[in-house]
Amino acid sequence: MKTFYTADHHLHHSGMELSFGRIVETFEKPERAEIVLRRVKEVGLGPVIEPPAYDRAAIERVHTPDYLDFLQNVFAEWRAAGRDGEVWPYSWRHRSMPMLDAPPASLDARLSYYSFDMAGSITETTWQAARRAADTALAGADAVLSGERAAFALCRPPGHHAGRDFFGGYCYLNNAAIAAQRFLDNGHARVAIFDVDYHHGNGTQEIFYDRDNVLLASLHGDPDFEFPFHLGYARERGAGRGEGFNLNYPLPAGTGWLEWQAAFEDAHARIGAYAPTALVISLGVDAFKEDPISQFKLESEHFLTIGRRIADFALPTLFVMEGGYAVDALGINAVNVLQGFEGA
């Protein structure tokens, strides 16, 4: 299996985050990608390839141009306003406030408009890193489009919390959504996204919620207690043409393998019934029992089984790296999925 990776991910490193009332070192740090890459090489998974640079038009198929302009230019605006340090939002719109018809004019108001949390800041080179993560996903998709059975896009920063015009949850561009759209734009009529990350992919849901050519199935911590909250309930099934094509499996804290597997198998069956022609896996491995910001109880061996069952779809498949913060086991868990797939 080909792995697409670029060291340009180091261009983004938000040094801190606000976590339960404390300022802590961010859990989403550059060493995550390096740990996974090291394991890819240790097991001899396959060649590691630097992705080419893609035109912004491929990203505009998913994200709005005004949002992309904002991400590209906000750090320079922050400095021009005389501010030091990293770019952080100041406030967010409350449900009692009316929706805006257009982005507001002031810097802080636009930061609020285009974000939903303080999990990650914007640094001087976050835009470049996010663009290269999207390039990584696009290169993986193109490899599969060219005939590879599967490919692994080792993306960082991750993407599934980023929506059409907002960032949050460590995510700036939605790599999995960009890859899914790439498949659609190159001959695939139906694509499924299977999100096995512990946290709900709220951005991916928002992007495809009213569409029937992408089926999203997501297993995640129940939004009653888990980030990103507010979205990810089973009742959210899509809208308009997309009704019935958004499948959420919210699970309680402490969920172990048997309960998780039951939800996985139900989602597996429903993806199969949809009969997609390509599959994108949002590969978060933070359902692992020792993950510091998650509350499921999967073991490393379970990720091998997940990979084998994904292979049973017998579909062109792209794995896109998302979360996973138990750094000691991160490489093992992520690559276990890929080896399980390859060995099936």
Side-chain angles (χ1 to χ4, degrees), residues 30-70:
E31 70 179 285
R32 294 179 59 253
E34 299 305 319
I35 289 167
V36 177
L37 179 66
R38 186 159 58 247
R39 183 64 176 173
V40 164
K41 293 178 177 179
E42 283 175 358
V43 304
L45 186 71
V48 178
I49 301 167
E50 176 87 11
Y54 284 79
D55 189 85
R56 197 176 105 158
I59 300 171
E60 289 182 359
R61 297 289 293 138
V62 167
H63 294 286
T64 63
D66 60 290
Y67 172 62
L68 298 178
D69 290 343
F70 164 81

Side-chain angles (χ1 to χ4, degrees), residues 82-96:
R83 301 178 183 183
D84 298 324
E86 303 166 3
V87 179
W88 293 97
Y90 183 67
S91 69
W92 292 276
R93 189 189 68 86
H94 185 263
R95 64 183 179 276
S96 64

